[in-house]
Amino acid sequence: MTTGQISDPFPVGEDAGDDGPDVRRRRAARALQAVAFDTIGAGYGEAFPAKDGQLECGRRLLAALEPGARVLDVGCGTGEPTLRQLTSAGLRVTAVDLSDVMLTLARRAGDTGPFPAEFHRIDLYDLATERAGRVWGAPGLGPAGHGSFAAVTAFFSLILLPQDEIPTVLVRLRELLRPGGLLALGMVEADLDHVPLPFLGRELRISGYLREDLERVLVDAGFAVEDRSGHPYAPASTTLPPEEQLFLRCRRVG
């Protein structure tokens, strides 16, 4: 579980000693990404103040879940608005992020309902794998947690991965869902593959799909897309251009 400390670029314990070069390269890239979000902190919410599309997607998810259902919030960020929305509705939420500062901010939003949220610092690429327990101390998010969540939310967290990693992560999120479990996903509609873009004084690498391609990736990962919507969005106070945000509610097949 996270300590709330600012992320060290090479934290002790994240290299289990038998990691190959690909894992080490990915870990180094993720560490830089985490430091970027540690620096951005609350400025992220200021840059993206309007959350109507995300809140509506969350409401559609809540309508399909029973009280007390377990939900995994992947890339929870500051916790606004999704973590607060889910916990306030009486769901049992596990929130994960790689940035310690974001997790510290999210704690304020995760104590708003009958079941306070649980927080873990973890690279989302390691979810549903043995590294969740061995490296991150979260065995419930590894193989032991397969099939244990009623829903997963991933709003604009997968955009931080290279396109070739996104299908793998979607398969792993599916493994953590119970049969028929739901995925609420937010992405940017754009044909981008880990393209560097300036953001609040930092450089972040962003990926996206055209909507037809995104739905194809989801189907291949074992999901049925049940509803979708698109919302034009102009970020405030950033150098990023206006974007089209995609929100999809999907169901685990099989």
Side-chain angles (χ1 to χ4, degrees), residues 10-20 23-24 27 131 134-136:
F10 296 97
V12 174
E14 290 182 21
D15 188 344
D18 57 353
D19 294 336
V23 173
R24 290 195 294 271
R27 186 169 55 84
R131 286 178 60 85
R134 178 168 62 89
V135 176
W136 300 98

Side-chain angles (χ1 to χ4, degrees), residues 17-49:
D18 57 353
D19 294 336
D22 289 344
V23 173
R24 290 195 294 271
R25 280 194 295 269
R26 185 172 61 249
R27 186 169 55 84
R30 295 286 203 277
L32 293 175
Q33 189 181 85
V35 170
F37 276 97
D38 283 345
T39 303
I40 291 168
Y44 184 87
E46 297 167 4
F48 293 91

Side-chain angles (χ1 to χ4, degrees), residues 147-164:
S148 63
F149 289 93
V152 170
T153 56
F155 290 114
F156 307 106
S157 49
L158 301 192
I159 67 172
L160 298 170
L161 302 176
Q163 276 191 1
D164 63 354

Side-chain angles (χ1 to χ4, degrees), residues 158-164 166 187-197 204-210 213 240-243:
L158 301 192
I159 67 172
L160 298 170
L161 302 176
Q163 276 191 1
D164 63 354
I166 292 174
M187 293 285 286
V188 173
E189 182 173 24
D191 188 12
L192 300 174
D193 186 6
H194 226 215
V195 174
L197 293 173
L204 296 177
R205 290 186 172 272
I206 303 298
S207 294
Y209 294 96
L210 302 180
D213 296 330
L240 292 174
E243 61 191 35

Side-chain angles (χ1 to χ4, degrees), residues 3 52 55 67 89 110 171 183 191:
T3 62
D52 293 346
L55 284 165
V171 168
L183 168 67
D191 188 12

